[in-house]
Amino acid sequence: MYRIREASLADVEFLADVTLTATRAQGRLAPDFDEPAWREGFADWSRESIDDPATDLTVIELDGQRVGRLRVSRTPEAVELNGIQLHPDVQNRGIGTAIITELQSEAAGRGVPLELHVERDNPGARRLYDRLGFHKTGEDGAEDVMQWTHGTQLWDAEVAKRYDTPGTGMFAADVLEPTVDRLAELVGGGRALEFAIGTGRVAVPLAAQGVSVSGIELSTAMLAELRTKADETAIPVVVGDMSAVRVPGEFSLVYLVYNTISNLLTQEEQVACFRNAARHLSPGGHFVIELWVPELRRLPPGTPATVGIADPGYILLDTYDVLKQHVVSHHFHFTEGTQAELFRSPHRYIWPAELDLMAQLAGFTLESRHADWSSTPFTADSPSHVSVYRLGTT
């Protein structure tokens, strides 16, 4: 198991060694590279970083041995990953991914982006950042500037304020009551954990039935709305990424409703979500996912978009990137005037078979799949499904 500790002056030579070794293994050193001059400059920079209160220069250890370096800066506006290098002998073990995922959780908890620079001649690092959901925001010399926000800005205070629609839409009684009744049945007298608990649409009525409910939520703005309905004692919530954050205790039910797993924009994150659910569950516990079925049969060749809903005052337009399995939902709200209000939400769509494989990787088996919370049979024409997975007992 790796650990991270603060770097000291005694680590400066190692920090230079591991940085140089990792860069040389990637074939990224220039033929005229001046190693002595570089080491001198790197040592000065490392000592300055150790003394800088706004910067954390740390050593990555594995089984008590130093194997890497990590430098992170924090400002009110962002968490900045200034550099991470691992010795080639310990690469491809998931250490870098785990560290970056923890930084994403930290940034999410603060409601700020995670930012970094990556050299354009380092395609391996770029592929990792692409998989983890970073996107390019600019250029700085020979480097691309990348940023990860993952909902911290999407689900802001303005969106949270208008999210609840009591009595209509997903808050309608005929939608909400079967959801709560089915979850109450599955929890079986144990504790329930909601991933992406939001404003408490499901958690509040489920708790009202006497179920002990906890939650994970990325958006502090959505959580603020939940807190107008239930305090921390009634429904405790941990702020962070549902694919990584741990909640104290053990649960008999973890649930993820209303397509929210698709807000994780990479397959790797979605698999991590399943594994995080498994970490929270007691043996034989259930993980429930409500998710729509991709509507690619409605997508004519050469046409990148479908109209999902066309109601008075509201149009839903979905644009697809079938290579990345990405879809952006464009929600247009308008009145009798000529202006419309637009809200966009990005998703990664998942086929039911792919979802089942993700479950298998995390130790789950599919127990049931229905078209809705009322146990309507699931067919090839069903637009969505409620899938119940059971964790193994060994």
Side-chain angles (χ1 to χ4, degrees):
M1 181 65 181
Y2 77 90
R3 78 179 189 102
I4 298 173
R5 64 164 176 83
E6 291 185 7
S8 68
L9 294 177
D11 296 307
V12 170
E13 184 175 354
F14 163 76
L15 296 173
D17 287 342
V18 73
T19 301
L20 193 58
T21 301
T23 306
R24 180 176 283 119
Q26 295 167 343
R28 295 173 46 240
L29 292 182
D32 58 349
F33 176 69
D34 186 344
E35 183 172 335
W38 178 88
R39 283 185 175 273
E40 182 178 353
F42 186 89
D44 290 341
W45 178 75
S46 296
R47 285 189 286 267
E48 291 174 1
S49 297
I50 291 172
D51 293 334
D52 184 356
T55 298
D56 287 335
L57 182 61
T58 56
V59 175
I60 304 168
E61 293 184 342
L62 183 65
D63 299 329
Q65 300 296 315
R66 298 179 297 183
V67 297
R69 65 175 284 272
L70 174 69
R71 187 178 188 272
V72 179
S73 297
R74 293 168 176 85
T75 69
E77 294 78 25
V79 176
E80 299 175 5
L81 174 57
N82 305 131
I84 179 171
Q85 278 88 26
L86 290 167
H87 193 281
D89 290 346
V90 300
Q91 292 178 6
N92 300 314
R93 298 190 188 182
I95 297 173
T97 298
I99 291 171
I100 295 170
T101 299
E102 289 182 6
L103 291 173
Q104 289 175 324
S105 295
E106 177 189 341
R110 289 181 49 198
V112 298
L114 175 60
E115 299 177 344
L116 57 84
H117 289 60
V118 58
E119 297 90 347
R120 294 191 196 94
D121 64 350
N122 190 357
R126 180 59 183 266
R127 284 193 294 271
L128 171 63
Y129 299 139
D130 286 341
R131 288 201 308 272
L132 292 177
F134 287 81
H135 63 277
K136 180 178 175 180
T137 60
E139 297 182 358
D140 183 7
E143 299 176 328
D144 286 337
V145 182
M146 303 192 74
Q147 186 180 89
W148 176 91
T149 55
H150 196 69
T152 57
Q153 296 172 349
L154 178 63
W155 306 102
D156 58 16
E158 183 179 349
V159 172
K161 286 289 185 184
R162 63 172 186 261
Y163 186 81
D164 290 7
T165 57
T168 64
M170 60 181 167
F171 287 82
D174 60 347
V175 174
L176 195 51
E177 289 177 2
T179 304
V180 173
D181 289 344
R182 178 65 171 136
L183 293 173
E185 175 187 344
L186 286 168
V187 77
R191 301 173 63 210
L193 173 62
E194 181 170 359
F195 282 5
I197 196 169
T199 66
R201 179 182 73 95
V202 174
V204 170
L206 184 59
Q209 290 200 13
V211 177
S212 174
V213 183
S214 298
I216 295 174
E217 177 53 46
L218 182 66
S219 167
T220 55
M222 298 288 277
L223 178 56
E225 291 299 311
L226 169 59
R227 287 291 167 249
T228 67
K229 310 168 190 176
D231 61 21
E232 179 68 17
T233 302
I235 302 179
V237 177
V238 174
V239 176
D241 184 342
M242 63 185 173
S243 67
V245 165
R246 275 294 265 130
V247 175
E250 192 172 74
F251 300 84
S252 61
L253 173 67
V254 177
Y255 63 94
L256 184 51
V257 298
Y258 215 74
N259 308 321
T260 311
I261 192 172
S262 70
N263 289 342
L264 299 171
L265 299 181
T266 68
Q267 186 184 71
E268 186 171 36
E269 289 176 301
Q270 291 168 347
V271 171
C273 183
F274 270 91
R275 288 176 170 153
N276 200 31
R279 283 193 289 269
H280 286 89
L281 284 169
S282 55
H286 290 101
F287 183 32
V288 182
I289 292 181
E290 178 185 19
L291 186 61
W292 97 98
V293 178
E295 297 183 307
L296 296 191
R297 288 189 298 176
R298 298 179 54 205
L299 194 66
T303 303
T306 62
V307 177
I309 300 173
D311 290 338
Y314 173 62
I315 292 176
L316 169 62
L317 181 71
D318 288 328
T319 56
Y320 287 83
D321 180 341
V322 295
L323 182 62
K324 296 181 179 180
Q325 288 186 213
H326 281 180
V327 57
V328 177
S329 294
H330 305 257
H331 305 266
F332 296 90
H333 296 270
F334 51 91
T335 57
E336 294 180 357
T338 59
Q339 301 297 314
E341 183 181 82
L342 171 62
F343 173 72
R344 288 189 292 261
S345 58
H347 307 270
R348 181 186 184 271
Y349 60 81
I350 316 170
W351 299 103
E354 183 186 9
L355 198 72
D356 293 347
L357 182 57
M358 292 180 183
Q360 182 180 339
L361 292 173
F364 291 99
T365 56
L366 180 66
E367 185 172 272
S368 67
R369 172 169 289 138
H370 293 96
D372 54 32
W373 293 98
S374 300
S375 298
T376 301
F378 178 74
T379 71
D381 296 320
S382 298
S384 62
H385 58 93
V386 175
S387 296
V388 179
Y389 297 97
R390 180 184 287 274
L391 185 66
T393 56
T394 58

